[in-house]
Amino acid sequence: MCGRFALGGQRGELLNRIIRDRVLEVDEAQWEDEEAFYPRYNIAPRSRAPVIRRRQRQEPQETPEPEDNQTGNASCSAAEEAVESTSTITTKQVPQNMLQTMRWGLVPRNAKSDDYQLTANTINARVETILERGRAGIWGAVIQTNRCLVPAQGYYEWLTKGKTKTPHFIRHPDESRNVYFAGLWDVITFQQEGATEPPRPLYTFSIVTIPARDDMGWLHERMPLMFSPTSSEDMERMHKWLDPNLSWESELIPFLASYVQNSPGEPFQIYPVDPDVGKVGNDSESFIKPVSQRKDGIKALFAKQKRQKEEPEASTSVETPINATSKKRERSNTPETLEKQEEGPSVKRAKTDASVNTPTTPKKKPQGSPRKKLASPVKDPNARTISQFFPVSPRKGTSS
């Protein structure tokens, strides 16, 4: 499945990257509801994201009316004026790709309300379900004409081992490239009671998922149907997916069935990332970087230990560097300073000589005051002992 993906950076950079991938042409670089999208490296369901869809653009064209059979010698200029006067202006439908911001989690066109539980179950569309139900159900109403592409830098998937879940990021081997998910979109308008303004249509989308390829099955059993802009085969399939004129029986069914057969494709880059991406409210560019390459990752830790071992031991010595005195402020060579410099060493030597010849007398320990002897207690003449109150019986073997 696909429950979280990344598309961060500036909006202008994202649009230029799509144009560079040749998914949009320069003259097709129209982004509807651009301000509704906030680039994030942690896009969750019910968030808004840009999708690429096909639309029919109205282009004017001039259609001349048929000329009447005329006789006589009419001049060419008069005939041209007659043609111009009888021509009409009409419009024609021209298919064109466009970029539009939509909300993730498809709301069916027959829904009564914007139910959260409903959209939680429509963030992904299983290709097996689409093939099984055909033109019926939620996906059957949009599979024929409402197909789209969802650009992304990559998506997140959690590897489960026992009770431990480790997030991984899956992206194109070239970090400057996007990947493009196959998607389905729809639009619905909810009528609000008492509203003074007309209701605004709600555009929503879903991401098509397929069984995981053999080289990605170790991570999860499902994966989004992805196209790579560096694969000529994927680019052909990408433009075919956007074509609303494909026949369901003869073209769409074989197209989708080929992905159920686990068709091979370009290898993707997969690596573990920061577990903080599991919280929907968190957002950081570091989420799409391998843990080993982060500043607080394992690779950075070993690099720091290596630098500490390579530091020279001399850096721990207490010797003063030779050029350390050069940083001191130089004194001016005035007569007063010269006299002090000449007198300074002799005075210091005299002080040191005097300190050597002067005998040192040992310090006497301070004598504390002698402790006073406590006087013996005075006996009370009226005091009695306990034996005077009880008669003492003679011991055995003694005569009284």
Side-chain angles (χ1 to χ4, degrees):
M1 64 174 297
C2 178
R4 210 74 64 83
F5 66 93
L7 190 63
Q10 301 295 326
R11 296 192 190 102
E13 296 176 359
L14 301 180
L15 183 59
N16 292 334
R17 191 183 305 168
I18 296 173
I19 295 174
R20 184 181 57 188
D21 289 340
R22 294 176 290 112
V23 181
L24 282 178
E25 300 296 336
V26 177
D27 58 347
E28 297 176 336
Q30 179 184 356
W31 191 342
E32 189 171 338
D33 295 332
E34 178 181 354
E35 299 298 327
F37 171 62
Y38 296 93
R40 284 176 55 86
Y41 297 95
N42 191 11
I43 298 177
R46 292 185 70 89
S47 300
R48 298 186 182 274
V51 303
I52 302 166
R53 70 178 181 91
R54 183 71 58 86
R55 71 168 182 172
Q56 297 295 329
R57 186 181 61 185
Q58 302 286 341
E59 282 192 357
Q61 65 176 357
E62 185 176 353
T63 305
E65 294 182 358
E67 299 180 9
D68 296 333
N69 294 328
Q70 297 180 357
T71 59
N73 296 326
S75 63
C76 296
S77 59
E80 290 176 359
E81 291 178 0
V83 171
E84 290 179 359
S85 61
T86 57
S87 62
T88 58
I89 303 298
T90 60
T91 59
K92 63 177 180 178
Q93 302 285 342
V94 178
Q96 184 185 35
N97 295 335
M98 63 171 294
L99 197 64
Q100 183 174 357
T101 302
M102 300 185 186
R103 199 182 71 183
W104 188 13
L106 189 138
V107 178
R109 60 186 62 178
N110 59 352
K112 302 300 182 183
S113 62
D114 186 10
D115 186 15
Y116 175 82
Q117 187 63 33
L118 176 63
T119 56
N121 296 327
T122 58
I123 61 172
N124 295 148
R126 295 171 63 94
V127 67
E128 298 92 337
T129 305
I130 297 174
L131 291 173
E132 179 183 353
R133 298 186 180 180
R135 302 294 299 275
I138 297 176
W139 312 124
V142 295
I143 188 62
Q144 182 64 46
T145 58
N146 292 16
R147 297 188 298 273
C148 63
L149 297 172
V150 183
Q153 292 168 293
Y155 74 100
Y156 300 95
E157 195 59 80
W158 277 256
L159 176 64
T160 303
K161 288 186 177 180
K163 296 182 179 180
T164 305
K165 293 185 177 181
T166 305
H168 287 66
F169 191 64
I170 301 92
R171 71 181 311 163
H172 194 280
D174 185 355
E175 296 184 359
S176 64
R177 298 283 190 171
N178 284 337
V179 293
Y180 297 86
F181 307 139
L184 301 171
W185 68 274
D186 206 351
V187 58
I188 188 173
T189 302
F190 293 107
Q191 300 294 335
Q192 298 179 358
E193 297 182 0
T196 57
E197 298 181 358
R200 187 176 182 181
L202 175 63
Y203 288 85
T204 57
F205 72 94
S206 177
I207 296 175
V208 179
T209 62
I210 59 176
R213 300 186 325 198
D214 292 338
D215 59 340
M216 299 177 64
W218 61 272
L219 181 60
H220 198 274
E221 61 181 6
R222 306 289 299 180
M223 63 175 288
L225 198 167
M226 289 191 295
F227 303 107
S228 170
T230 57
S231 170
S232 58
E233 182 180 358
D234 276 3
M235 289 296 295
E236 183 180 352
R237 287 171 171 261
M238 193 186 309
H239 291 291
K240 187 176 183 180
W241 176 255
L242 291 176
D243 186 2
N245 298 320
L246 294 183
S247 171
W248 168 252
E249 289 78 9
S250 61
E251 295 177 289
L252 279 177
I253 291 179
F255 179 87
L256 295 173
S258 65
Y259 288 95
V260 181
Q261 304 297 329
N262 195 12
S263 60
E266 282 193 350
F268 294 101
Q269 189 178 5
I270 307 175
Y271 48 81
V273 294
D274 191 349
D276 288 342
V277 72
K279 298 180 181 179
V280 176
N282 293 343
D283 185 33
S284 174
E285 187 179 359
S286 63
F287 289 167
I288 66 174
K289 296 181 180 180
V291 175
S292 59
Q293 295 183 6
R294 293 181 53 183
K295 294 181 179 180
D296 55 348
I298 299 174
K299 187 174 181 180
L301 177 62
F302 282 107
K304 182 178 180 180
Q305 293 178 353
K306 185 178 179 181
R307 288 194 302 269
Q308 291 177 351
K309 290 181 180 180
E310 293 177 352
E311 289 180 356
E313 297 180 356
S315 61
T316 58
S317 60
V318 296
E319 295 181 0
T320 304
I322 297 175
N323 59 349
T325 56
S326 61
K327 297 181 180 180
K328 295 182 179 180
R329 183 178 178 182
E330 296 182 358
R331 298 179 180 180
S332 57
N333 295 327
T334 58
E336 291 81 8
T337 55
L338 292 174
E339 291 179 0
K340 290 181 179 179
Q341 291 176 4
E342 293 177 355
E343 295 177 358
S346 60
V347 174
K348 290 182 180 179
R349 281 196 296 270
K351 289 183 178 180
T352 53
D353 295 341
S355 62
V356 173
N357 297 330
T358 304
T360 58
T361 56
K363 295 182 179 179
K364 294 183 180 180
K365 295 182 179 180
Q367 295 180 356
S369 58
R371 293 182 179 180
K372 295 181 179 180
K373 293 183 179 180
L374 298 176
S376 57
V378 180
K379 293 183 179 181
D380 187 2
N382 297 323
R384 297 181 181 182
T385 60
I386 193 170
S387 60
Q388 293 178 355
F389 292 95
F390 301 95
V392 180
S393 59
R395 295 182 180 179
K396 295 180 181 182
T398 60
S399 59
S400 54

